Amino acid sequence: RINFSLSNWSFTPETRKVIVFTQKPFLDLLSPIMNTFCKSERLCNKNLFEELVHSDFSFVKFPFRVLVKKSSLQGEYPARMGISVSKKKFKRAVKRNRLKRLTREAYRMHKSELYKDSQGYETLDILFIYIDNTVLEYSKIEKAIQSAIQKIIIHFYRVPE
């Protein structure tokens, strides 16, 4: 059983939801609870999406090309994520939607690693572009997302010694 007081939480009157954790130990304790993917964690703003497409930092973790940028608009969460699957490579919407769903699920399960290291930093905008021509199984997609998150953590949050 976990004991905690309300002084460690921040509330907003309009949403009545917990949105900010002020102490790092709570982030570790609540990581199983954080496996959600709400609208404010999605990259929906067209201007932010355009900025991200022209960002400086990108890399390939097969089957994804990953674009990452520090956001010009601070968000509620440490990161916002978008997924792109080409209509040119996958004509059927069923396949495109499946790939997006698998990617979203893999990110949702591993984003806590990114959130742990992001204390006090700016919001990141992340775009995963699926570059393969075939629909891969979930385990391969999950492995790629996990290694991409590790690379993002190293690039943006770890200070070189």
Side-chain angles (χ1 to χ4, degrees):
R1 188 169 189 186
I2 301 170
N3 293 323
F4 56 87
S5 67
L6 290 176
S7 63
N8 296 320
W9 304 84
S10 296
F11 293 93
T12 57
E14 58 275 351
T15 61
R16 304 245 183 236
K17 291 182 181 176
V18 177
I19 59 166
V20 178
F21 299 104
T22 56
Q23 292 185 354
K24 190 169 170 66
F26 280 123
L27 203 58
D28 296 335
L29 292 173
L30 297 175
S31 61
I33 298 170
M34 288 179 50
N35 285 341
T36 59
F37 190 66
C38 61
K39 181 153 181 146
S40 54
E41 291 179 281
R42 296 176 190 199
L43 190 60
C44 299
N45 188 323
K46 186 177 180 181
N47 294 333
L48 292 176
F49 199 86
E50 294 282 328
E51 287 178 19
L52 184 56
V53 170
H54 300 293
S55 70
D56 296 334
F57 183 66
S58 67
F59 58 92
V60 174
K61 283 290 182 186
F62 188 80
F64 297 103
R65 174 166 206 74
V66 184
L67 305 171
V68 186
K69 182 182 183 301
K70 286 186 180 178
S71 182
S72 59
L73 180 66
Q74 189 66 25
E76 292 179 26
Y77 293 93
R80 282 187 288 258
M81 192 266 296
I83 305 165
S84 175
V85 181
S86 173
K87 193 172 183 179
K88 187 176 182 180
K89 292 182 182 179
F90 297 98
K91 303 284 188 234
R92 303 278 175 164
V94 173
K95 289 185 179 181
R96 290 194 306 273
N97 291 339
R98 175 167 173 75
L99 286 168
K100 288 189 273 187
R101 194 169 51 249
L102 292 174
T103 305
R104 211 170 23 248
E105 177 66 11
Y107 176 79
R108 185 182 71 82
M109 296 304 291
H110 295 285
K111 71 178 180 178
S112 60
E113 300 166 21
L114 183 66
Y115 283 19
K116 283 179 195 173
D117 290 326
S118 66
Q119 293 294 320
Y121 290 97
E122 298 174 9
T123 301
L124 293 179
D125 292 335
I126 306 167
L127 177 63
F128 292 98
I129 302 172
Y130 194 85
I131 57 175
D132 194 14
N133 292 327
T134 60
V135 178
L136 294 179
E137 56 196 35
Y138 176 73
S139 61
K140 292 181 180 177
I141 290 174
E142 183 181 28
K143 195 176 194 180
I145 295 288
Q146 194 171 14
S147 61
I149 287 174
Q150 290 301 319
K151 188 161 184 170
I152 292 168
I153 289 169
I154 291 168
H155 188 269
F156 285 97
Y157 299 136
R158 300 278 162 82
V159 179
E161 295 177 14

